[in-house]
Amino acid sequence: MSLTSLVAGFALLLAAPAAHAADPPLRDLGTAKGKVIGTAVTGSKLTGTYGDIAGAQFSSLTPGNAMKWGSVEPAQGSFNWTEADQIVAFAQAHNQQVRGHTLVWHSQNPSWLTNGSWTSAQLGTLLQNHINTEVGRYQGKIAAWDVVNEPFNEDGTYRSTLWYNGLGADYIANALTWARAADPAAKLYINDYNVEGVNAKSTALYNLVKSLKDRGVPIDGVGLQAHLILGQVPSTLQQNIQRFADLGVDVAITELDIRMTLPSDSTKLAQQKADYKAVTAACVAVARCVNLTVWGFTDSDSWVESTFPGQGAATPYDANYAPKPAYYGIAEALGGTSTPPPTGACTASYSVGSQWNTGFTGNVTISCSGASLSSWKVTWTYGAGQQITQAWNATCTQSGAAVSCANASYNGTVPDGGSVSFGFNASWSGSNPVPTVTLG
Ligand code: XIL
Protein backbone atom coordinates (compact mmCIF):
# COMPACT_ATOMS: atom_id res chain seq x y z
CA MET A 1 0.00 0.00 0.00
CA SER A 2 1.36 3.40 -0.94
CA LEU A 3 1.93 6.07 1.63
CA THR A 4 -0.74 8.29 0.08
CA SER A 5 -3.44 5.67 0.23
CA LEU A 6 -2.44 4.91 3.81
CA VAL A 7 -2.74 8.59 4.68
CA ALA A 8 -6.02 8.83 2.76
CA GLY A 9 -7.29 5.84 4.71
CA PHE A 10 -6.50 7.54 7.97
CA ALA A 11 -8.12 10.76 6.81
CA LEU A 12 -11.24 8.80 5.94
CA LEU A 13 -11.34 7.24 9.35
CA LEU A 14 -10.89 10.55 11.08
CA ALA A 15 -13.54 12.16 8.93
CA ALA A 16 -16.09 9.42 9.63
CA PRO A 17 -19.19 10.92 11.17
CA ALA A 18 -19.79 10.38 14.83
CA ALA A 19 -21.68 7.15 15.39
CA HIS A 20 -25.36 7.46 16.23
CA ALA A 21 -25.89 10.93 14.81
CA ALA A 22 -29.43 12.00 15.62
CA ASP A 23 -32.10 10.63 13.32
CA PRO A 24 -34.24 12.89 11.19
CA PRO A 25 -37.60 13.72 12.76
CA LEU A 26 -40.37 11.12 12.60
CA ARG A 27 -42.12 12.98 9.80
CA ASP A 28 -39.06 12.67 7.55
CA LEU A 29 -38.52 9.03 8.45
CA GLY A 30 -42.19 8.50 7.63
CA THR A 31 -41.91 10.25 4.27
CA ALA A 32 -39.08 7.93 3.28
CA LYS A 33 -41.43 4.99 3.92
CA GLY A 34 -44.45 6.64 2.28
CA LYS A 35 -46.18 7.18 5.64
CA VAL A 36 -47.69 10.31 7.12
CA ILE A 37 -46.93 10.51 10.85
CA GLY A 38 -49.45 12.43 12.90
CA THR A 39 -50.47 13.49 16.36
CA ALA A 40 -53.64 14.66 18.02
CA VAL A 41 -53.22 18.16 19.40
CA THR A 42 -54.82 20.69 21.70
CA GLY A 43 -54.92 24.08 19.96
CA SER A 44 -54.19 26.20 23.02
CA LYS A 45 -50.93 24.34 23.65
CA LEU A 46 -49.38 24.90 20.21
CA THR A 47 -46.64 27.25 21.43
CA GLY A 48 -43.27 26.76 23.13
CA THR A 49 -41.83 23.27 23.32
CA TYR A 50 -45.20 21.61 22.63
CA GLY A 51 -45.57 23.59 19.42
CA ASP A 52 -41.95 23.02 18.44
CA ILE A 53 -42.29 19.24 18.71
CA ALA A 54 -45.72 19.12 17.08
CA GLY A 55 -44.39 21.10 14.13
CA ALA A 56 -41.03 19.42 13.76
CA GLN A 57 -41.85 15.76 14.29
CA PHE A 58 -45.24 15.27 12.66
CA SER A 59 -46.63 15.66 9.15
CA SER A 60 -50.28 15.47 10.18
CA LEU A 61 -52.38 16.95 12.98
CA THR A 62 -55.73 15.76 14.28
CA PRO A 63 -57.68 18.14 16.52
CA GLY A 64 -58.21 16.10 19.68
CA ASN A 65 -61.55 17.75 20.42
CA ALA A 66 -61.77 21.00 18.46
CA MET A 67 -63.78 19.72 15.47
CA LYS A 68 -66.32 17.66 17.40
CA TRP A 69 -69.90 18.84 17.09
CA GLY A 70 -70.11 19.87 20.75
CA SER A 71 -67.02 22.06 20.28
CA VAL A 72 -68.05 23.79 17.08
CA GLU A 73 -71.77 24.38 17.71
CA PRO A 74 -72.28 24.63 21.48
CA ALA A 75 -75.63 26.35 21.01
CA GLN A 76 -77.77 25.65 17.97
CA GLY A 77 -76.80 28.00 15.18
CA SER A 78 -73.98 29.55 17.22
CA PHE A 79 -70.58 28.39 16.06
CA ASN A 80 -67.12 28.45 17.60
CA TRP A 81 -64.39 27.64 15.13
CA THR A 82 -61.57 29.29 17.04
CA GLU A 83 -59.56 26.25 18.07
CA ALA A 84 -60.25 24.31 14.89
CA ASP A 85 -59.16 27.28 12.75
CA GLN A 86 -56.03 27.69 14.85
CA ILE A 87 -55.00 24.07 14.37
CA VAL A 88 -55.62 24.23 10.63
CA ALA A 89 -53.55 27.43 10.39
CA PHE A 90 -50.72 25.88 12.42
CA ALA A 91 -50.76 22.82 10.17
CA GLN A 92 -50.60 24.93 7.02
CA ALA A 93 -47.71 26.97 8.45
CA HIS A 94 -45.83 23.75 9.16
CA ASN A 95 -46.62 21.99 5.90
CA GLN A 96 -48.78 19.43 7.63
CA GLN A 97 -51.94 17.58 6.73
CA VAL A 98 -55.04 17.80 8.90
CA ARG A 99 -57.22 14.83 9.74
CA GLY A 100 -60.71 16.11 10.46
CA HIS A 101 -62.20 14.44 13.53
CA THR A 102 -65.11 13.74 13.68
CA LEU A 103 -68.48 14.43 12.04
CA VAL A 104 -70.91 11.74 13.21
CA TRP A 105 -70.48 10.26 16.68
CA HIS A 106 -72.57 9.32 19.69
CA SER A 107 -70.30 11.25 22.06
CA GLN A 108 -69.32 14.89 22.63
CA ASN A 109 -72.40 16.18 20.87
CA PRO A 110 -73.94 19.48 21.99
CA SER A 111 -76.61 19.12 24.64
CA TRP A 112 -79.17 20.96 22.51
CA LEU A 113 -78.80 18.12 20.01
CA THR A 114 -78.85 15.19 22.41
CA ASN A 115 -81.62 16.65 24.58
CA GLY A 116 -83.84 17.63 21.71
CA SER A 117 -86.62 15.38 20.47
CA TRP A 118 -86.37 15.15 16.73
CA THR A 119 -88.30 13.39 14.04
CA SER A 120 -86.25 11.21 11.76
CA ALA A 121 -86.54 13.82 9.01
CA GLN A 122 -85.35 16.61 11.33
CA LEU A 123 -82.44 14.52 12.52
CA GLY A 124 -81.40 13.81 8.94
CA THR A 125 -81.55 17.51 8.09
CA LEU A 126 -79.53 18.44 11.18
CA LEU A 127 -76.86 15.93 10.28
CA GLN A 128 -76.70 16.95 6.64
CA ASN A 129 -76.42 20.63 7.58
CA HIS A 130 -73.73 19.87 10.14
CA ILE A 131 -71.65 17.98 7.60
CA ASN A 132 -72.19 20.64 4.92
CA THR A 133 -71.22 23.43 7.27
CA GLU A 134 -68.14 21.88 8.82
CA VAL A 135 -66.73 20.06 5.80
CA GLY A 136 -67.57 23.06 3.65
CA ARG A 137 -65.76 25.46 5.96
CA TYR A 138 -62.52 23.51 5.65
CA GLN A 139 -62.98 22.41 2.06
CA GLY A 140 -59.59 21.82 0.45
CA LYS A 141 -57.76 21.98 3.77
CA ILE A 142 -58.51 18.55 5.20
CA ALA A 143 -56.66 15.51 3.89
CA ALA A 144 -59.05 13.03 5.48
CA TRP A 145 -62.22 13.14 7.55
CA ASP A 146 -63.21 10.64 10.20
CA VAL A 147 -66.76 10.95 8.92
CA VAL A 148 -68.30 8.30 11.16
CA ASN A 149 -66.79 7.45 14.52
CA GLU A 150 -67.33 4.28 16.55
CA PRO A 151 -70.45 2.88 14.85
CA PHE A 152 -70.08 -0.69 16.15
CA ASN A 153 -70.53 -2.69 19.31
CA GLU A 154 -67.89 -5.24 20.29
CA ASP A 155 -69.97 -8.09 18.83
CA GLY A 156 -70.18 -6.37 15.45
CA THR A 157 -73.79 -5.19 15.73
CA TYR A 158 -74.51 -1.52 15.22
CA ARG A 159 -74.17 0.63 18.30
CA SER A 160 -77.46 2.04 19.51
CA THR A 161 -77.00 5.80 19.08
CA LEU A 162 -78.94 8.93 18.31
CA TRP A 163 -78.08 8.34 14.66
CA TYR A 164 -78.72 4.63 14.36
CA ASN A 165 -81.92 4.78 16.34
CA GLY A 166 -83.21 7.83 14.49
CA LEU A 167 -82.04 7.19 10.95
CA GLY A 168 -81.22 3.49 10.67
CA ALA A 169 -77.96 2.00 9.46
CA ASP A 170 -77.99 4.17 6.35
CA TYR A 171 -76.97 7.19 8.39
CA ILE A 172 -73.46 6.00 7.59
CA ALA A 173 -73.91 5.92 3.81
CA ASN A 174 -75.72 9.25 3.87
CA ALA A 175 -73.03 10.93 5.97
CA LEU A 176 -70.33 9.74 3.60
CA THR A 177 -72.29 10.93 0.58
CA TRP A 178 -72.88 14.38 2.11
CA ALA A 179 -69.23 14.68 3.11
CA ARG A 180 -68.11 13.84 -0.44
CA ALA A 181 -70.40 16.51 -1.82
CA ALA A 182 -69.02 19.13 0.58
CA ASP A 183 -65.33 18.38 -0.13
CA PRO A 184 -64.67 16.06 -3.06
CA ALA A 185 -60.92 16.04 -2.36
CA ALA A 186 -61.03 14.83 1.24
CA LYS A 187 -60.53 11.13 1.90
CA LEU A 188 -63.50 9.77 3.81
CA TYR A 189 -63.03 7.34 6.69
CA ILE A 190 -64.96 5.25 9.17
CA ASN A 191 -63.03 5.14 12.46
CA ASP A 192 -63.41 2.76 15.41
CA TYR A 193 -61.59 1.16 18.34
CA ASN A 194 -60.94 -2.50 19.07
CA VAL A 195 -60.84 -3.10 15.33
CA GLU A 196 -57.04 -3.42 15.16
CA GLY A 197 -56.95 -7.22 15.10
CA VAL A 198 -59.18 -9.64 13.23
CA ASN A 199 -62.27 -10.02 15.41
CA ALA A 200 -66.07 -9.74 15.29
CA LYS A 201 -66.00 -5.94 15.38
CA SER A 202 -63.36 -5.48 12.69
CA THR A 203 -65.13 -8.07 10.55
CA ALA A 204 -68.36 -6.08 10.84
CA LEU A 205 -66.41 -3.00 9.74
CA TYR A 206 -64.93 -4.99 6.89
CA ASN A 207 -68.36 -6.16 5.76
CA LEU A 208 -69.75 -2.64 5.99
CA VAL A 209 -66.93 -1.19 3.89
CA LYS A 210 -67.39 -3.95 1.35
CA SER A 211 -71.11 -3.31 1.04
CA LEU A 212 -70.61 0.47 0.84
CA LYS A 213 -68.14 -0.03 -1.99
CA ASP A 214 -70.51 -2.44 -3.74
CA ARG A 215 -73.24 0.20 -3.51
CA GLY A 216 -70.99 2.96 -4.82
CA VAL A 217 -71.04 4.90 -1.56
CA PRO A 218 -67.88 7.02 -1.20
CA ILE A 219 -65.55 5.38 1.33
CA ASP A 220 -61.78 5.82 1.08
CA GLY A 221 -60.40 4.41 4.27
CA VAL A 222 -60.77 2.88 7.69
CA GLY A 223 -59.28 4.29 10.85
CA LEU A 224 -58.01 1.85 13.44
CA GLN A 225 -57.89 3.95 16.60
CA ALA A 226 -55.42 1.68 18.42
CA HIS A 227 -55.93 2.69 22.03
CA LEU A 228 -53.87 -0.26 23.19
CA ILE A 229 -52.81 -1.83 26.47
CA LEU A 230 -49.15 -2.53 27.21
CA GLY A 231 -48.08 -5.92 25.87
CA GLN A 232 -51.34 -6.42 23.98
CA VAL A 233 -50.67 -5.47 20.36
CA PRO A 234 -53.00 -7.82 18.47
CA SER A 235 -51.02 -10.52 16.66
CA THR A 236 -53.33 -10.14 13.65
CA LEU A 237 -52.80 -6.39 13.25
CA GLN A 238 -50.87 -6.58 9.98
CA GLN A 239 -53.19 -9.24 8.58
CA ASN A 240 -56.17 -7.03 9.43
CA ILE A 241 -54.63 -3.96 7.81
CA GLN A 242 -53.88 -6.07 4.76
CA ARG A 243 -57.45 -7.34 4.38
CA PHE A 244 -58.78 -3.79 4.32
CA ALA A 245 -56.10 -2.81 1.83
CA ASP A 246 -57.10 -5.76 -0.33
CA LEU A 247 -60.68 -4.47 -0.24
CA GLY A 248 -59.42 -1.32 -1.92
CA VAL A 249 -59.41 1.21 0.90
CA ASP A 250 -56.64 3.03 2.74
CA VAL A 251 -55.93 2.31 6.38
CA ALA A 252 -54.84 4.79 9.03
CA ILE A 253 -53.76 4.13 12.59
CA THR A 254 -55.65 7.14 13.90
CA GLU A 255 -55.34 7.34 17.69
CA LEU A 256 -52.40 5.24 18.79
CA ASP A 257 -51.55 5.19 22.47
CA ILE A 258 -50.32 2.32 24.66
CA ARG A 259 -51.24 2.62 28.29
CA MET A 260 -49.62 0.98 31.28
CA THR A 261 -50.39 0.63 34.96
CA LEU A 262 -48.66 3.49 36.77
CA PRO A 263 -46.02 4.04 37.90
CA SER A 264 -43.98 3.43 34.80
CA ASP A 265 -40.62 1.72 35.16
CA SER A 266 -37.83 0.81 32.79
CA THR A 267 -39.25 -2.67 32.13
CA LYS A 268 -42.65 -1.28 31.16
CA LEU A 269 -41.08 1.45 29.04
CA ALA A 270 -39.06 -1.17 27.18
CA GLN A 271 -42.20 -3.21 26.53
CA GLN A 272 -43.95 -0.05 25.36
CA LYS A 273 -41.11 0.61 22.92
CA ALA A 274 -41.53 -2.90 21.51
CA ASP A 275 -45.29 -2.36 21.22
CA TYR A 276 -44.98 0.99 19.43
CA LYS A 277 -42.40 -0.56 17.13
CA ALA A 278 -44.70 -3.50 16.34
CA VAL A 279 -47.65 -1.26 15.49
CA THR A 280 -45.50 1.00 13.32
CA ALA A 281 -43.91 -2.00 11.59
CA ALA A 282 -47.34 -3.43 10.76
CA CYS A 283 -48.25 -0.13 9.08
CA VAL A 284 -44.90 0.03 7.28
CA ALA A 285 -45.48 -3.48 5.94
CA VAL A 286 -48.69 -2.56 4.09
CA ALA A 287 -48.45 0.09 1.38
CA ARG A 288 -52.06 1.24 1.86
CA CYS A 289 -51.48 1.98 5.53
CA VAL A 290 -51.01 5.67 4.83
CA ASN A 291 -51.01 7.42 8.20
CA LEU A 292 -49.93 6.60 11.73
CA THR A 293 -51.20 9.11 14.28
CA VAL A 294 -50.57 9.11 18.02
CA TRP A 295 -53.37 10.35 20.29
CA GLY A 296 -51.27 13.05 21.92
CA PHE A 297 -47.50 12.96 21.64
CA THR A 298 -46.73 13.77 25.30
CA ASP A 299 -47.90 12.21 28.55
CA SER A 300 -48.88 15.73 29.61
CA ASP A 301 -51.51 15.86 26.84
CA SER A 302 -53.17 12.46 26.92
CA TRP A 303 -56.73 11.44 27.67
CA VAL A 304 -55.57 8.18 29.29
CA GLU A 305 -54.92 9.25 32.90
CA SER A 306 -58.36 10.80 33.30
CA THR A 307 -60.18 8.05 31.43
CA PHE A 308 -58.52 4.90 32.77
CA PRO A 309 -57.78 5.41 36.48
CA GLY A 310 -54.34 4.14 37.47
CA GLN A 311 -53.24 3.92 33.83
CA GLY A 312 -51.05 6.35 31.93
CA ALA A 313 -47.64 7.09 30.41
CA ALA A 314 -49.23 6.06 27.10
CA THR A 315 -47.52 8.38 24.60
CA PRO A 316 -44.04 8.61 23.01
CA TYR A 317 -42.83 11.63 25.02
CA ASP A 318 -42.86 12.03 28.77
CA ALA A 319 -44.58 14.93 30.51
CA ASN A 320 -41.36 16.98 30.29
CA TYR A 321 -41.15 16.50 26.50
CA ALA A 322 -38.27 14.02 26.64
CA PRO A 323 -38.61 11.26 24.05
CA LYS A 324 -39.33 7.92 25.72
CA PRO A 325 -38.19 4.52 24.48
CA ALA A 326 -41.55 4.40 22.65
CA TYR A 327 -40.39 7.28 20.46
CA TYR A 328 -37.37 5.25 19.37
CA GLY A 329 -39.63 2.26 18.76
CA ILE A 330 -41.54 4.30 16.17
CA ALA A 331 -38.30 5.71 14.74
CA GLU A 332 -36.67 2.28 14.43
CA ALA A 333 -39.68 0.80 12.63
CA LEU A 334 -39.44 3.74 10.20
CA GLY A 335 -35.78 2.96 9.50
CA GLY A 336 -34.20 5.24 12.10
CA THR A 337 -30.98 4.02 13.64
CA SER A 338 -30.12 6.44 16.39
CA THR A 339 -29.34 4.93 19.75
CA PRO A 340 -31.70 6.23 22.38
CA PRO A 341 -30.07 7.91 25.32
CA PRO A 342 -29.73 5.51 28.23
CA THR A 343 -33.09 5.03 29.79
CA GLY A 344 -33.62 5.70 33.45
CA ALA A 345 -32.16 3.41 36.00
CA CYS A 346 -32.10 2.63 39.69
CA THR A 347 -28.79 1.97 41.39
CA ALA A 348 -27.59 0.92 44.85
CA SER A 349 -24.50 2.27 46.58
CA TYR A 350 -22.80 0.92 49.70
CA SER A 351 -20.82 2.96 52.19
CA VAL A 352 -19.15 2.36 55.53
CA GLY A 353 -20.12 4.81 58.24
CA SER A 354 -18.42 4.65 61.60
CA GLN A 355 -15.96 1.84 62.16
CA TRP A 356 -14.35 0.65 65.42
CA ASN A 357 -11.94 -2.13 66.32
CA THR A 358 -14.31 -5.07 65.76
CA GLY A 359 -17.38 -3.56 64.13
CA PHE A 360 -18.77 -1.00 61.73
CA THR A 361 -21.99 0.57 60.61
CA GLY A 362 -22.86 0.28 56.91
CA ASN A 363 -25.39 2.11 54.75
CA VAL A 364 -26.93 1.27 51.39
CA THR A 365 -28.86 3.84 49.35
CA ILE A 366 -31.08 2.90 46.40
CA SER A 367 -31.65 5.85 44.03
CA CYS A 368 -33.80 6.09 40.93
CA SER A 369 -33.61 8.50 38.04
CA GLY A 370 -35.92 8.14 35.06
CA ALA A 371 -37.24 4.93 36.58
CA SER A 372 -38.87 3.78 39.79
CA LEU A 373 -39.27 0.67 41.95
CA SER A 374 -42.15 -0.81 43.93
CA SER A 375 -39.90 -3.34 45.72
CA TRP A 376 -36.18 -3.99 45.90
CA LYS A 377 -33.49 -6.40 46.94
CA VAL A 378 -29.77 -5.64 47.24
CA THR A 379 -27.16 -8.41 47.34
CA TRP A 380 -23.42 -8.51 47.81
CA THR A 381 -20.64 -10.88 48.79
CA TYR A 382 -18.17 -10.01 51.53
CA GLY A 383 -14.53 -10.56 50.70
CA ALA A 384 -12.94 -10.42 54.13
CA GLY A 385 -15.19 -12.34 56.54
CA GLN A 386 -17.46 -9.45 57.52
CA GLN A 387 -20.65 -10.57 59.27
CA ILE A 388 -23.88 -8.61 59.60
CA THR A 389 -25.27 -8.61 63.14
CA GLN A 390 -28.25 -6.28 62.85
CA ALA A 391 -30.08 -4.33 60.10
CA TRP A 392 -32.74 -1.62 60.03
CA ASN A 393 -35.09 -0.43 57.30
CA ALA A 394 -34.47 -3.72 55.47
CA THR A 395 -34.63 -7.46 56.11
CA CYS A 396 -31.10 -8.85 55.71
CA THR A 397 -29.94 -12.43 55.68
CA GLN A 398 -26.36 -13.64 55.42
CA SER A 399 -25.30 -17.11 54.37
CA GLY A 400 -21.53 -17.53 54.39
CA ALA A 401 -20.19 -14.45 52.64
CA ALA A 402 -23.43 -13.80 50.69
CA VAL A 403 -25.72 -11.05 51.96
CA SER A 404 -29.23 -10.34 50.72
CA CYS A 405 -31.30 -7.38 51.94
CA ALA A 406 -34.91 -6.81 50.88
CA ASN A 407 -37.17 -3.82 51.51
CA ALA A 408 -39.20 -3.60 54.68
CA SER A 409 -43.00 -3.50 54.37
CA TYR A 410 -42.99 0.28 54.35
CA ASN A 411 -40.11 1.30 52.06
CA GLY A 412 -40.37 -0.78 48.89
CA THR A 413 -41.31 2.22 46.77
CA VAL A 414 -38.49 4.25 45.27
CA PRO A 415 -39.98 7.02 43.13
CA ASP A 416 -38.38 8.46 40.03
CA GLY A 417 -35.92 11.03 41.32
CA GLY A 418 -36.04 9.63 44.86
CA SER A 419 -34.01 7.32 47.09
CA VAL A 420 -34.38 4.91 50.00
CA SER A 421 -31.64 3.93 52.49
CA PHE A 422 -31.13 1.14 54.98
CA GLY A 423 -28.41 0.50 57.53
CA PHE A 424 -26.75 -2.32 59.40
CA ASN A 425 -24.11 -3.20 61.94
CA ALA A 426 -21.49 -5.80 61.12
CA SER A 427 -18.28 -7.25 62.49
CA TRP A 428 -14.94 -7.23 60.73
CA SER A 429 -11.34 -8.13 61.40
CA GLY A 430 -8.16 -7.58 59.48
CA SER A 431 -9.63 -5.48 56.67
CA ASN A 432 -13.03 -4.17 55.66
CA PRO A 433 -13.12 -3.78 51.84
CA VAL A 434 -16.27 -2.31 50.24
CA PRO A 435 -18.14 -5.03 48.28
CA THR A 436 -19.80 -4.61 44.90
CA VAL A 437 -23.55 -4.42 45.42
CA THR A 438 -26.20 -5.61 43.00
CA LEU A 439 -29.74 -4.25 42.85
CA GLY A 440 -32.11 -7.01 41.81
C1 XIL B 1 -61.02 12.00 23.59
C2 XIL B 1 -60.19 13.24 23.87
O1 XIL B 1 -58.83 12.94 23.72
C3 XIL B 1 -60.49 13.75 25.26
O2 XIL B 1 -59.82 14.98 25.48
C4 XIL B 1 -61.98 13.93 25.44
O3 XIL B 1 -62.25 14.30 26.78
C5 XIL B 1 -62.71 12.65 25.11
O4 XIL B 1 -62.37 12.24 23.80
N1 XIL B 1 -61.89 7.94 20.62
C6 XIL B 1 -61.98 9.06 19.85
C7 XIL B 1 -61.49 10.36 20.35
O5 XIL B 1 -62.38 8.96 18.68
O6 XIL B 1 -62.23 11.44 19.87
C8 XIL B 1 -61.46 10.40 21.85
O7 XIL B 1 -60.82 11.61 22.25
C9 XIL B 1 -60.75 9.19 22.39
C10 XIL B 1 -61.45 7.92 22.00
Side-chain angles (χ1 to χ4, degrees):
M1 184 188 285
S2 75
L3 189 60
T4 19
S5 65
L6 202 70
V7 169
F10 271 115
L12 206 70
L13 265 181
L14 290 171
H20 312 308
D23 273 333
L26 296 180
R27 62 184 290 171
D28 295 348
L29 293 172
T31 300
K33 296 279 185 192
K35 310 295 169 187
V36 172
I37 307 298
T39 180
V41 291
T42 302
S44 59
K45 298 184 179 175
L46 283 169
T47 60
T49 308
Y50 182 100
D52 291 345
I53 295 173
Q57 293 286 335
F58 299 96
S59 43
S60 173
L61 301 184
T62 305
N65 290 298
M67 288 185 173
K68 293 170 181 173
W69 199 334
S71 300
V72 301
E73 195 181 2
Q76 189 170 14
S78 154
F79 295 90
N80 182 352
W81 304 105
T82 313
E83 189 191 347
D85 285 356
Q86 182 202 351
I87 292 169
V88 171
F90 183 98
Q92 291 186 333
H94 293 81
N95 193 23
Q96 294 168 309
Q97 294 186 357
V98 178
R99 284 191 68 85
H101 177 85
T102 179
L103 298 168
V104 193
W105 194 22
H106 62 274
S107 184
Q108 292 183 277
N109 286 317
S111 50
W112 63 262
L113 176 65
T114 50
N115 294 339
S117 71
W118 314 102
T119 64
S120 178
Q122 287 172 324
L123 208 52
T125 303
L126 284 167
L127 185 58
Q128 182 171 13
N129 286 341
H130 169 62
I131 291 173
N132 271 338
T133 304
E134 182 153 5
V135 177
R137 179 180 183 85
Y138 296 109
Q139 195 235 311
K141 298 178 177 176
I142 303 289
W145 270 106
D146 290 331
V147 177
V148 178
N149 202 30
E150 303 179 349
F152 288 110
N153 294 316
E154 297 305 292
D155 66 1
T157 56
Y158 283 112
R159 186 191 287 265
S160 161
T161 69
L162 175 67
W163 308 116
Y164 181 75
N165 298 335
L167 301 172
D170 254 1
Y171 83 88
I172 296 173
N174 288 333
L176 289 161
T177 303
W178 294 329
R180 174 67 92 231
D183 186 352
K187 301 289 186 194
L188 306 180
Y189 279 66
I190 301 171
N191 190 49
D192 215 326
Y193 64 92
N194 288 353
V195 293
E196 293 75 29
V198 175
N199 57 36
K201 195 175 185 180
S202 65
T203 299
L205 177 60
Y206 179 91
N207 290 333
L208 171 62
V209 170
K210 189 170 186 322
S211 84
L212 290 170
K213 285 188 75 79
D214 288 348
R215 292 167 57 193
V217 175
I219 175 72
D220 301 303
V222 295
L224 316 181
Q225 292 186 6
H227 294 293
L228 301 177
I229 296 171
L230 190 72
Q232 296 185 25
V233 177
S235 58
T236 51
L237 174 59
Q238 186 183 323
Q239 179 194 339
N240 192 42
I241 295 172
Q242 187 67 56
R243 72 170 170 160
F244 281 104
D246 292 345
L247 205 48
V249 291
D250 290 339
V251 177
I253 309 289
T254 50
E255 304 184 17
L256 177 61
D257 52 26
I258 303 179
R259 60 188 183 265
M260 62 181 69
T261 301
L262 295 172
S264 76
D265 61 32
S266 49
T267 307
K268 293 177 194 173
L269 292 172
Q271 177 66 52
Q272 189 183 47
K273 174 183 178 180
D275 291 348
Y276 266 94
K277 188 171 181 175
V279 173
T280 309
C283 184
V284 167
V286 182
R288 288 202 81 150
C289 183
V290 294
N291 180 306
L292 181 135
T293 288
V294 294
W295 202 246
F297 63 86
T298 161
D299 291 338
S300 68
D301 186 45
S302 169
W303 73 312
V304 168
E305 279 83 344
S306 56
T307 311
F308 305 96
Q311 305 281 303
T315 79
Y317 284 81
D318 73 16
N320 299 314
Y321 302 123
K324 291 159 56 182
Y327 172 93
Y328 296 95
I330 300 172
E332 285 174 16
L334 293 172
T337 55
S338 73
T339 303
T343 54
C346 298
T347 54
S349 69
Y350 175 111
S351 63
V352 174
S354 59
Q355 180 169 306
W356 55 97
N357 52 353
T358 57
F360 68 99
T361 298
N363 181 279
V364 174
T365 298
I366 300 127
S367 309
C368 290
S369 173
S372 62
L373 294 171
S374 55
S375 67
W376 47 262
K377 187 175 80 171
V378 182
T379 57
W380 64 88
T381 303
Y382 276 130
Q386 299 99 318
Q387 179 68 47
I388 292 190
T389 54
Q390 182 193 14
W392 50 94
N393 297 332
T395 304
C396 294
T397 56
Q398 182 167 355
S399 167
V403 178
S404 175
C405 297
N407 62 275
S409 60
Y410 51 84
N411 67 354
T413 299
V414 187
D416 185 356
S419 64
V420 165
S421 295
F422 65 91
F424 56 87
N425 286 331
S427 62
W428 68 286
S429 69
S431 68
N432 185 16
V434 169
T436 303
V437 296
T438 304
L439 179 62

